[in-house]
Amino acid sequence: MINELSDTNFDIYVLGGKLDTNEKNMYGDMALKTIRSVFVDKTVIGVGGITFEFGVSDYGIDDFGIREAMMKHANQTILVAQSEKFGTNAFSIGYPLDQVSTIVSDTNLSQEYKTGIREMGIELILAEP
């Protein structure tokens, strides 16, 4: 993702920490310390699963401290997830869905989730797959 952003006019900051080569993200104490030292307007988070009952879940446990700090230090949390991740729970539960301000998914999202998300007052943006 850094390569795609390198030719923009945005200021890009990269976290330190340990690289998860499978998920392509940074985690650990160094990353957490960096996140806790800044405030941002928006944070964008990917997930492994989303249900109305349990909220947002993911495949590993190590990332939730990072995500919690990112959400706490951001004015807006944007969740990005493919439609097939809705209605399923991944390995570990993270946080309730009502902590998210915007969800971005694809147009294959079920009507149940389109309706439920909008009824919760969460902005829903759907893109062509």
Side-chain angles (χ1 to χ4, degrees):
M1 184 158 166
I2 292 172
N3 291 337
E4 288 83 5
L5 296 173
S6 64
D7 292 329
T8 68
N9 292 327
F10 296 105
D11 291 331
I12 308 296
Y13 295 89
V14 180
L15 295 177
K18 184 172 181 173
L19 174 64
D20 179 336
T21 56
N22 187 42
E23 294 290 325
K24 307 290 189 255
N25 64 9
M26 305 299 287
Y27 69 97
D29 290 339
M30 187 183 296
L32 193 54
K33 184 176 180 181
T34 302
I35 291 168
R36 288 180 176 158
S37 69
V38 298
F39 290 98
V40 298
D41 186 41
K42 298 175 182 174
T43 187
V44 179
I45 298 174
V47 301
I50 303 165
T51 63
F52 290 125
E53 183 179 3
F54 294 108
V56 178
S57 58
D58 211 347
Y59 305 111
I61 295 174
D62 296 329
D63 294 342
F64 279 112
I66 297 286
R67 290 182 185 166
E68 182 179 53
M70 289 171 64
M71 292 169 67
K72 185 176 181 179
H73 286 246
N75 293 326
Q76 181 181 11
T77 298
I78 302 168
L79 185 138
V80 179
Q82 299 155 317
S83 58
E84 62 263 14
K85 294 186 178 182
F86 290 79
T88 63
N89 293 304
F91 175 69
S92 59
I93 295 172
Y95 45 89
L97 198 53
D98 65 3
Q99 292 184 15
V100 174
S101 51
T102 303
I103 294 176
V104 179
S105 189
D106 59 78
T107 54
N108 294 326
L109 185 64
S110 72
Q111 189 60 48
E112 173 191 4
Y113 275 92
K114 288 178 188 176
T115 302
I117 289 166
R118 289 180 175 133
E119 286 177 353
M120 291 178 74
I122 300 171
E123 179 184 16
L124 178 62
I125 299 171
L126 299 175
E128 290 295 324

